Amino acid sequence: MREYPKYKKILFCTDFSENADYAFDFAYGITKRDEGLLYILHVIPENPHHAFAEDIVSTENLEKIQKTIEEDIVNNYKERYIEKIEGEIEFETVSKSGREDNEILKFAKKENVDIIVIGTHGRTGIEHVFFGSVAEKVLRRSPIPVFIIPSKKRP
């Protein structure tokens, strides 16, 4: 019988989109098969207008907005992923802020993950030029294996 790599630390990256939800099934399957640890990571993108917002919105309101964002992330983790995880799977949810690809790779290196699982939106043409692809940036720069799951809705 052929031996395959065992992935003990699996990093699943999500933006809480339908494509990420689809990719979760693959990350979960790998984790269950290899009896590993599943990290579920969401990166809050940098806001280039944050400094501008501080001049207009009070600190108190900015704190309320931040609290609402954090609560929304916790709810998304619970509804989209945690409720689907069966008892025998070990997992951790993690939230970071910054440039998505940088934070994903920094976390993967810090935690010494074995594989990154990430979905892609399947954008093409001008849409891809303007929005880019976090998955593509991670793939280009990652020293560890990256499992990219294409969108179910292929163009």
Side-chain angles (χ1 to χ4, degrees), residues 4-141:
Y4 62 88
K6 294 272 187 185
Y7 302 110
K8 290 299 180 184
K9 291 185 175 183
I10 299 89
L11 174 57
F12 165 64
C13 307
T14 182
D15 59 1
F16 302 118
S17 67
E18 188 177 326
N19 297 321
D21 294 350
Y22 178 59
F24 174 76
D25 293 337
F26 292 86
Y28 181 75
I30 293 168
T31 305
K32 191 170 182 176
R33 178 194 72 193
D34 292 349
E35 299 174 342
L37 167 63
L38 177 62
Y39 293 106
I40 304 171
L41 173 67
H42 173 70
V43 179
I44 303 165
E46 292 178 321
N47 181 351
H49 307 292
H50 184 76
F52 180 70
E54 288 177 339
D55 292 339
I56 296 173
V57 181
S58 71
T59 304
E60 182 181 310
N61 283 339
L62 283 174
E63 288 172 0
K64 285 180 185 176
I65 292 168
Q66 183 64 32
K67 186 173 172 32
T68 301
I69 290 170
E70 290 168 5
E71 289 171 355
D72 199 35
I73 290 170
V74 168
N75 289 335
N76 269 310
Y77 281 142
K78 184 178 178 195
E79 293 169 11
R80 291 174 177 268
Y81 310 119
I82 295 172
E83 289 180 354
K84 295 178 183 176
I85 294 175
E86 297 169 3
E88 74 274 6
I89 297 291
E90 188 179 349
F91 70 93
E92 291 180 26
T93 58
V94 183
S95 298
K96 300 283 184 183
S97 294
R99 200 173 113 186
E100 293 100 323
D101 57 314
N102 285 346
E103 293 302 320
I104 290 167
L105 293 170
K106 204 179 336 179
F107 181 84
K109 184 177 180 182
K110 178 181 166 244
E111 296 299 327
N112 199 26
V113 302
D114 298 311
I115 190 168
I116 299 169
V117 179
I118 188 169
T120 184
H121 291 279
R123 292 184 181 117
T124 59
I126 198 76
E127 191 178 31
H128 179 74
V129 170
F130 282 112
F131 294 110
S133 167
V134 173
E136 181 180 353
K137 291 173 188 170
V138 169
L139 177 64
R140 288 179 189 259
R141 296 179 43 219

